[in-house]
């Protein structure tokens, strides 16, 4: 499990925005992952999607890493933001956009 934890830790710390999800950004395998992908794509935020279905160690490891039981999980600049519901609520309130701005991450939103 330490192997998976090291991989997760490295991804979270070396990418500004990371989404641990079921499936890929191009082909989400669950509705919750798909919703977060839609939000990030709408905002035009560059991010790395990591498919937890490809590795059981990562799938369980990310839950242990964040102490959060569900997937997807969004990380911004090494900080755990939350899952689908939290991300969606923050987006709807404008808080997600503000978080990206505060962290120096360019939002390309056209609307």
């Amino acid at each position: 499990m330490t192997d998976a934890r090291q991989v997760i830790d490295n991804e979270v710390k070396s990418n500004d925005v990371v989404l641990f999800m079921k499936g890929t950004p191009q082909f989400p395998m669950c509705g919750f992952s798909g919703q977060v992908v839609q939000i990030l794509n709408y905002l035009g935020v560059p991010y790395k999607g990591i498919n937890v279905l490809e590795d059981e160690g990562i799938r369980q490891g990310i839950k242990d890493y964040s102490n959060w039981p569900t997937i997807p999980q969004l990380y911004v600049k090494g900080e755990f933001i939350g899952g689908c519901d939290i991300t969606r609520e923050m987006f709807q309130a404008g808080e997600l956009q503000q978080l990206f701005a505060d962290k120096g991450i360019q939002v390309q939103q056209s609307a």
Side-chain angles (χ1 to χ4, degrees):
M1 189 57 75
T2 46
D3 218 16
R5 186 171 184 83
Q6 284 178 322
V7 169
I8 292 165
D9 198 49
N10 184 53
E11 293 291 357
V12 166
K13 291 178 177 170
S14 62
N15 295 287
D16 285 348
V17 182
V18 183
L19 178 62
F20 289 87
M21 62 181 293
K22 293 179 181 175
T24 65
Q26 297 75 24
F27 194 70
M29 300 292 283
C30 87
F32 298 114
S33 292
Q35 286 183 43
V36 178
V37 164
Q38 283 183 324
I39 290 168
L40 295 175
N41 288 346
Y42 176 80
L43 293 175
V45 172
Y47 65 97
K48 180 169 186 179
I50 297 177
N51 183 358
V52 301
L53 299 177
E54 291 179 345
D55 185 329
E56 184 57 39
I58 300 292
R59 185 176 186 171
Q60 183 55 48
I62 192 62
K63 295 175 185 181
D64 297 336
Y65 185 85
S66 63
N67 200 23
W68 189 261
T70 59
I71 294 166
Q73 294 187 15
L74 181 64
Y75 290 80
V76 177
K77 295 274 188 165
E79 176 186 350
F80 175 57
I81 303 306
C84 177
D85 291 346
I86 291 170
T87 302
R88 184 178 60 240
E89 289 167 12
M90 288 179 70
F91 168 70
Q92 290 170 341
E95 295 168 4
L96 189 62
Q97 298 86 320
Q98 188 61 51
L99 174 74
F100 287 134
D102 292 348
K103 300 278 187 180
I105 297 169
Q106 191 67 37
V107 173
Q108 316 265 310
Q109 182 180 352
S110 55

